[in-house]
Structures are given as structure tokens and as C-alpha cells.
Amino acid sequence: MHSFETTIGRLRSEGFKLTPQRLSVIRYLIGNKTHPTAAVIYGDLKKKYPSLSFSTVYNTLNMLEKISEVQSLHLFDDFLNYDPDISSHYHFVCRSCDSIIDIFPREGENVSLPEGDISGNRIESAQVVFKGMCKSCL
Amino acid sequence: MHSFETTIGRLRSEGFKLTPQRLSVIRYLIGNKTHPTAAVIYGDLKKKYPSLSFSTVYNTLNMLEKISEVQSLHLFDDFLNYDPDISSHYHFVCRSCDSIIDIFPREGENVSLPEGDISGNRIESAQVVFKGMCKSCL
DNA sequence: ACGGTATCGAGAATTATTATTGACTTGATA
DNA sequence: TATCAAGTCAATAATAATTCTCGATACCGT
Ligand SMILES: [Mn+2]
Ligand SMILES: [Mn+2]
Ligand SMILES: [Zn+2]
Ligand SMILES: [Zn+2]
């Protein structure tokens, strides 16, 4: 996500109301380096905002995804993970402990993807998911 | 998938019975260059095998995935696509027509991924999904 | 204050996939 | 042939993440 100010500015200009519920979800996500599920977000925020509902969490996440402030990740079978980090990076998923690790490819790490077209199809985004055993599980 | 003979040989050696229902699913998938869903497989086979049930399609797909004869792909929100092509390749998904296009990286197409370890995590497989507009939709 | 609109939360609905169940098939054995 | 055990079938129920519905409420400009 962008900064708090930028994000709420974008929502305002798109015509969304900045309700306390939405702001709580946004504050939860800003600077969050994990990849929480809707259930985790709901569970954590419910403590502080007991009247928050699941629908509102989903609605807010879908709204944020629509304006590309978060990205949903299909890493597991039964649920989505949400990534507030919209910088270009990839993911590693451990098949033993299910942890999700951000991969920021550096020079020499040999992650390179085409941009523009491939076989005549126009690429707009690319997702890379590595699976294996994470450092701690090894 | 491997050849018909190799595949049924593997199933036999793993202790699975080669029932007509399973064989019909296997024959459907061998050489299939699309990425059918369980529902599509069921719908197509139902015409020829009216007593086939959905459970059997799912059970057979899960069995084939367990022995790595097919690969399930989480490309859309609500269902899985199954890929009988187990050679190393990637996918392009068109956001306009939802078609799934195989990407076999060639020399000079600049798709290269690390093997072995990345940041101390052991890579066992990698999935790449490009999204954008396909050639025909452009 | 008033009227129109957006959003809320609660709970129902949706739906792809998985689990359960009881009948049936198969093959080995006596 | 009779019996038995294991595997598999199809029908159906269950599961669970996400979305939808709806009446109530908050907000906004006038
Ligand atoms: Mn991430
Ligand atoms: Mn493919
Ligand atoms: Zn791990
Ligand atoms: Zn297309």
C-alpha cells in the first residue's frame, strides 16, 4: 500500500467514504509485512472493534484490491492471503510450515521475467510462486 | 502426463485399481492440451459414461496429482484447472477472455528462474503466471 | 430538520471440493 | 461353490471461504 495519507486520498477521490471500520482495516494493513487472511484480519480487529463484521472486512479488502492497494494471493487451496506490499516481488511458500516468505530478487539471483509481450500476448503483471522447504525447516 | 502405458503402469505399481471410470478420465487427459476443470471433464465424460459421478472425477484427479501425473492450477477464484502437461512451462491468463495459454520459454524470451536455493530456502518447484491481454483479444 | 445515498452488521446463500455411506465388484482361498 | 476382505462406485451430505441480501443507521448537502 501507499502511505496512509496517499491511500485515504485515493479512496476519497474514488468516492468511497472513510468509515471507522474501513480505516481500521487500512491501518491494520499499512506497513504490515505479513500476508494475512481475511479471517486473521477480522480476528485481530474484532478485539478492538467488537462490532466489526466479516462482510466489512471482505468489502474493504475487495475495494482496496480494486484500486490496487493490496494484492490477493492464491497460495493455498482454501483461502486467500492479502499482501499490502504492492512493490514488485515474489513469494516462497514452505510446504512444511506453510510460511510465506517475500522474495525480492537482487542482481545475480537469476530471477528475470519478460516485460511487454510474450508470444504476442501483452503482459500486464506476473506472479511467481516458489514452493519448497524454508530455511528454518531445513 | 506420461504415456498411457507408463501412467497405468505407475498406478498399478502404486496399488490402484484400473477401473473403467479411472481409465476414462486418464484417456481424457492423455494428450489433452487444454486445462480442463473437474466440471468440464465430468460434463464431457458423462455423455459417454452416464453413470460416472463427480466424486470419481475428483478422486481420480487427486490420485493423479498425488503421483504428479497432473498439476492443479489456481488461476481463478472459484475453481481449479488441471494441467495434464507436466513438462516445465508457465501460463498466461487473459483477463478479457479468461483463456489459458501455455508459455514454453525459449532462448531469448528472458524467462529464467533460480534453481536450488534462494535466500537460504530450498526451491522444489516454481509457478509463473502472467496476466494480461491475449493475442486474439488485442 | 429533511431527503437521498452509502454503508453497516447479521445472517442466509452460494458453490467448489471433500467426506460419508451403503451397495457392488473383484480376487483369493478353502 | 461359498466365503471373505479390500477396494471402488455413485449418491448425497457436509464443509467452509466468500458473496449476497436486507433492514437499520450514519452521513451529507441543502
Ligand atoms: Mn509479499
Ligand atoms: Mn499448461
Ligand atoms: Zn518452513
Ligand atoms: Zn483473450
Side-chain angles (χ1 to χ4, degrees), chain A residues 60-72 82:
Chain A
T60 306
L61 287 170
N62 288 338
M63 167 197 314
L64 291 172
E65 185 172 24
K66 204 163 289 171
I67 64 171
S68 299
E69 288 288 343
V70 301
Q71 183 189 5
S72 66
Y82 288 88

Side-chain angles (χ1 to χ4, degrees), chain A:
Chain A
M1 298 174 77
H2 295 102
S3 71
F4 185 75
E5 291 74 20
T6 305
T7 302
I8 63 175
R10 293 197 59 203
L11 285 170
R12 230 193 292 269
S13 73
E14 297 270 347
F16 294 111
K17 302 275 170 78
L18 296 169
T19 66
Q21 293 88 344
R22 286 176 182 169
L23 288 170
S24 78
V25 173
I26 291 166
R27 268 193 289 267
Y28 182 92
L29 292 173
I30 293 268
N32 193 317
K33 291 295 181 190
T34 71
H35 303 82
T37 62
V40 165
I41 297 169
Y42 173 73
D44 285 352
L45 290 177
K46 189 79 175 171
K47 302 166 189 164
K48 225 179 170 182
Y49 307 89
S51 82
L52 183 71
S53 86
F54 238 124
S55 315
T56 301
V57 173
Y58 275 109
N59 286 339
T60 306
L61 287 170
N62 288 338
M63 167 197 314
L64 291 172
E65 185 172 24
K66 204 163 289 171
I67 64 171
S68 299
E69 288 288 343
V70 301
Q71 183 189 5
S72 66
L73 304 173
H74 273 87
L75 302 177
F76 298 98
D77 280 349
D78 299 339
F79 50 84
L80 296 174
N81 293 86
Y82 288 88
D83 195 342
D85 186 344
I86 52 176
S87 72
S88 170
H89 68 287
Y90 309 122
H91 295 98
F92 181 97
V93 178
C94 178
R95 70 172 161 82
S96 170
C97 69
D98 286 350
S99 62
I100 302 168
I101 299 168
D102 283 323
I103 302 290
F104 297 95
R106 303 176 178 198
E107 298 284 342
E109 273 199 324
N110 202 25
V111 180
S112 91
L113 297 177
E115 295 179 19
D117 285 14
I118 190 166
S119 307
N121 310 291
R122 180 176 305 151
I123 295 171
E124 294 172 350
S125 68
Q127 193 194 49
V128 179
V129 180
F130 299 102
K131 297 202 174 169
M133 292 282 273
C134 79
K135 193 191 273 183
S136 3
C137 286
L138 282 173

